[in-house]
């Protein structure tokens, strides 16, 4: 099951990573089939799959298969699919380079990109409290492949570290990508403060933000 892995997938425990790769290879399948490709016992496979399901990475469906009780069938969820390389950064580079080739296109293209990202963010962050919106922000960034780490600081403050950037190759030539994501983070804390304390584009190992709510 040779596969190019994203950093998020590589950080999973080996058994669970192998099961996700098995589901990627086999599609919807049962625990017995996965046990053969993962070299694990069927009870171990079921236990790991239950854990992956709790994290929203595996769906479990009961399906009848001949006489007897229905059997569980397992499949990757859309969230799990996002752990595998998608080529989004490459596609984004093509689009930005196309916009760069014509000054008349670049400005409206970037404006439309910003408006789309902010509109999407406004719909995603609907929790009634700042803490709830910060949690929603973390989930959105996780789904995008940033592998965020959120730390709570007393006084309605949070430290948000983005340990991976799916667009890191774009940033050198297109720093506006970072600016857009900073504005998205600000949407999660209307009236609050968002301060970027370090950035990969400046040589740091990760991007980090200090978030503060004044409500």
């Amino acid at each position: 099951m040779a596969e190019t892995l994203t950093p998020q997938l590589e950080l999973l425990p080996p058994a669970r990573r192998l099961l996700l790769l098995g589901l990627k290879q086999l599609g919807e399948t049962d625990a017995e089939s996965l046990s053969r490709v993962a070299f694990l016992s069927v009870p171990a496979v079921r236990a790991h799959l239950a854990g992956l399901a709790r994290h929203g990475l595996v769906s479990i469906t009961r399906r009848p298969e001949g006489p007897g009780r229905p059997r569980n069938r397992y499949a990757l969820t859309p969230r799990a699919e996002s752990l595998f390389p998608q080529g989004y950064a490459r596609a984004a580079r093509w689009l930005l380079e196309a916009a760069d080739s014509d000054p008349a296109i670049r400005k409206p293209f970037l404006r439309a990109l910003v408006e789309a990202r902010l509109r999407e963010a406004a719909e995603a962050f609907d929790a009634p409290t700042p803490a709830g919106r910060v949690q929603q922000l973390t989930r959105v960034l996780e789904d995008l492949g940033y592998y965020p780490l959120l730390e709570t600081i007393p006084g309605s403050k949070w430290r948000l570290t983005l340990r991976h950037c799916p667009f890191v190759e774009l940033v050198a030539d297109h720093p506006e990508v970072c600016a857009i994501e900073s504005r998205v983070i600000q949407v999660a804390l209307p009236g609050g403060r968002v301060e970027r304390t370090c950035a990969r584009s400046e040589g740091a190992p990760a991007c980090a933000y200090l978030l503060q709510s004044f409500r």
Side-chain angles (χ1 to χ4, degrees):
M1 290 185 298
E3 188 83 37
T4 300
L5 306 182
T6 59
Q8 305 99 298
L9 194 56
E10 287 181 332
L11 288 168
L12 288 175
R16 296 193 174 188
R17 182 172 67 241
L18 195 57
L19 288 172
L20 291 180
L21 290 170
L23 285 169
K24 186 69 170 174
Q25 174 182 308
L26 300 175
E28 184 181 285
T29 189
D30 54 31
E32 288 75 12
S33 298
L34 283 170
S35 73
R36 290 192 289 271
V37 299
F39 302 101
L40 296 169
S41 69
V42 173
V45 166
R46 288 176 177 149
H48 283 301
L49 290 171
L52 289 166
R54 287 193 295 272
H55 286 87
L57 298 174
V58 168
S59 65
I60 305 176
T61 306
R62 298 279 285 176
R63 296 195 188 281
E65 295 184 4
R69 297 172 55 189
R71 301 179 67 184
N72 285 340
R73 301 283 292 182
Y74 304 90
L76 296 177
T77 65
R79 183 176 185 183
E81 292 285 358
S82 70
L83 297 177
F84 294 85
Q86 303 294 329
Y88 295 143
R90 187 177 303 169
R93 177 182 289 278
W94 292 338
L95 290 171
L96 288 168
E97 287 177 351
D100 286 343
S101 67
D102 188 340
I105 295 175
R106 177 179 171 80
K107 190 171 182 178
F109 173 81
L110 290 176
R111 182 170 61 248
L113 179 61
V114 171
E115 290 173 353
R117 285 291 288 123
L118 295 182
R119 184 169 57 251
E120 184 182 66
E123 294 172 355
F125 308 142
D126 58 0
T129 65
R133 289 194 295 274
V134 170
Q135 291 290 343
Q136 289 177 326
L137 168 66
T138 304
R139 289 193 291 271
V140 166
L141 293 171
E142 183 175 343
D143 289 341
L144 288 172
Y146 284 96
Y147 199 67
L149 172 66
L150 183 67
E151 302 169 270
T152 301
I153 302 172
S156 296
K157 296 181 182 179
W158 300 268
R159 182 180 294 106
L160 178 65
T161 304
L162 307 182
R163 294 172 286 180
H164 175 66
C165 176
F167 302 107
V168 66
E169 295 180 2
L170 292 176
V171 172
D173 297 326
H174 300 281
E176 60 268 23
V177 173
C178 286
I180 292 171
E181 294 311 299
S182 293
R183 290 183 64 180
V184 168
I185 293 172
Q186 181 69 67
V187 172
L189 278 178
R193 185 178 72 179
V194 174
E195 177 188 356
R196 191 171 69 177
T197 56
C198 61
R200 291 188 63 172
S201 60
E202 298 169 355
C207 294
Y209 294 83
L210 181 64
L211 315 179
Q212 182 173 6
S213 172
F214 296 111
R215 288 197 292 167

